[in-house]
Amino acid sequence: MKRTLFLLMLLFLAACGRPSSEPAASDYRETNYAKNGPRFKLLLLYDDRAEEAHVQFDHQAIAFFNKLTVGEGFIVDSTQNLGAFTADQLKEYTAIIALNAAPSREARTLFENYMENGGGWIGFHAAAYNDSRTQWPWFLRFLGGGVFKCNNWPPQPALLELDRKDHPVTRNLPDTYVCPATEFYQWTPEPRENPDIEVLVSLSPRNFPMGLKDIVYGGDFPVVWTNRNYRMIYINMGHGDEQFSDATEQLLFINALQWIVSNDPNGNPLDK
Ligand code: ZN
């Protein structure tokens, strides 16, 4: 008996005496390949009837997000018709990624209920487009109050600046970087005026005047922001076929995805 106790004590001491450089168990997690199964589900919303440059982006984005599922880490479904889903079906998705597409009129209430009950949304480019014809007050509040004001044309690269350097979505991005050619939307009133809105990235004033046909001469120009009242992030980029050629942009998109997913009110699926 004494011998057993002695051996147990030796084992305990050996376990305590691991070199301090060895990572603690909480520092890393095992991959979940085929072990825990896919951790969460995303729904991509897109619209093939949109303008050609938006469809180009959407198809590249669908390929991009599908590629991220390698190893069956998560599941990606895509649809052009949110209205085909029931509320219970939609609840299964940790987030909707809106690629240049907003819910149809028939699906507006469904989407509102999804978001008001903890749903996630990552909106790209025209996903936030709204004007006087949109007539959807909830959506305008959700976006932060900004109605489409103007845009640069043609699409072009632009210098971007971080507003927040310590946010999970931006902390590993350069303080300023040139974003590949895209069309940028400016909004009125400017979303930054809304205390619920947190702007993460803006277009640098050093770009002005920006454009050759449609010229933007100045003004506040946020391009990535969140509304603190919702699990959402809006990303202005998403026009044409150049966004996925750039590592910084890809990193921004992955950061946004990781942040939105990890804040799921039902528990962080990445902890599974
Ligand atoms: Zn566009």
Side-chain angles (χ1 to χ4, degrees), residues 182-247:
T182 191
E183 175 196 26
F184 290 96
Y185 295 147
Q186 200 173 30
W187 311 88
T188 184
E190 287 145 1
R192 201 189 311 268
E193 292 174 12
N194 182 338
D196 293 331
I197 296 300
E198 182 164 34
V199 177
L200 304 180
V201 185
S202 296
L203 197 106
S204 169
R206 290 157 65 187
N207 294 291
F208 301 134
M210 184 174 78
L212 297 166
K213 175 178 174 283
D214 298 330
I215 299 172
V216 184
Y217 289 96
D220 191 20
F221 212 130
V223 295
V224 180
W225 70 79
T226 74
N227 181 336
R228 293 185 182 89
N229 297 327
Y230 296 96
R231 191 161 57 92
M232 66 84 89
I233 186 164
Y234 173 64
I235 299 172
N236 200 155
M237 292 72 95
H239 181 109
D241 60 356
E242 296 188 27
Q243 294 304 302
F244 295 97
S245 63
D246 183 82

Side-chain angles (χ1 to χ4, degrees), residues 20-31:
S20 58
S21 60
E22 195 174 315
S26 59
D27 289 346
Y28 61 92
R29 299 202 176 92
E30 289 179 28
T31 57

Side-chain angles (χ1 to χ4, degrees), residues 51 53-54 100 125-126 153 182-183 185 238-240:
E51 65 178 276
H54 291 182
N100 286 311
H125 195 50
W153 199 262
T182 191
E183 175 196 26
Y185 295 147
H239 181 109

Side-chain angles (χ1 to χ4, degrees), residues 121-142:
W121 182 85
I122 302 173
F124 285 95
H125 195 50
Y129 181 88
N130 74 94
D131 58 25
S132 58
R133 293 166 303 174
T134 306
Q135 300 292 317
W136 189 7
W138 178 90
F139 192 55
L140 193 55
R141 278 198 305 278
F142 169 72

Side-chain angles (χ1 to χ4, degrees), residues 43-219:
L43 183 61
L44 308 186
L45 177 65
Y46 68 106
D47 182 2
D48 270 346
R49 296 162 305 175
E51 65 178 276
E52 189 182 352
H54 291 182
V55 174
Q56 268 180 338
F57 173 82
D58 293 359
H59 282 247
Q60 288 191 347
I62 290 168
F64 175 77
F65 286 109
N66 271 288
K67 198 173 168 188
L68 292 178
T69 68
V70 66
E72 299 183 342
F74 59 100
I75 290 171
V76 166
D77 292 330
S78 51
T79 184
Q80 297 195 62
N81 180 16
L82 203 61
F85 291 76
T86 65
D88 281 343
Q89 287 170 334
L90 208 55
K91 253 194 301 194
E92 291 177 16
Y93 294 95
T94 296
I96 295 170
I97 301 189
L99 304 168
N100 286 311
S104 62
R105 280 183 184 272
E106 297 72 33
R108 285 180 173 183
T109 305
L110 178 78
F111 179 69
E112 285 181 33
N113 289 335
Y114 171 77
M115 290 308 304
E116 292 289 351
N117 290 286
W121 182 85
I122 302 173
F124 285 95
H125 195 50
Y129 181 88
N130 74 94
D131 58 25
S132 58
R133 293 166 303 174
T134 306
Q135 300 292 317
W136 189 7
W138 178 90
F139 192 55
L140 193 55
R141 278 198 305 278
F142 169 72
L143 295 170
V147 177
F148 172 78
K149 179 182 168 191
C150 63
N151 60 291
N152 63 291
W153 199 262
Q156 67 165 74
L159 181 67
L160 304 185
E161 296 176 349
L162 301 190
D163 291 90
R164 283 278 309 270
K165 297 172 187 174
D166 55 347
H167 192 278
V169 174
T170 54
R171 66 186 167 209
N172 53 2
L173 301 182
D175 293 355
T176 65
Y177 69 96
V178 175
C179 166
T182 191
E183 175 196 26
F184 290 96
Y185 295 147
Q186 200 173 30
W187 311 88
T188 184
E190 287 145 1
R192 201 189 311 268
E193 292 174 12
N194 182 338
D196 293 331
I197 296 300
E198 182 164 34
V199 177
L200 304 180
V201 185
S202 296
L203 197 106
S204 169
R206 290 157 65 187
N207 294 291
F208 301 134
M210 184 174 78
L212 297 166
K213 175 178 174 283
D214 298 330
I215 299 172
V216 184
Y217 289 96

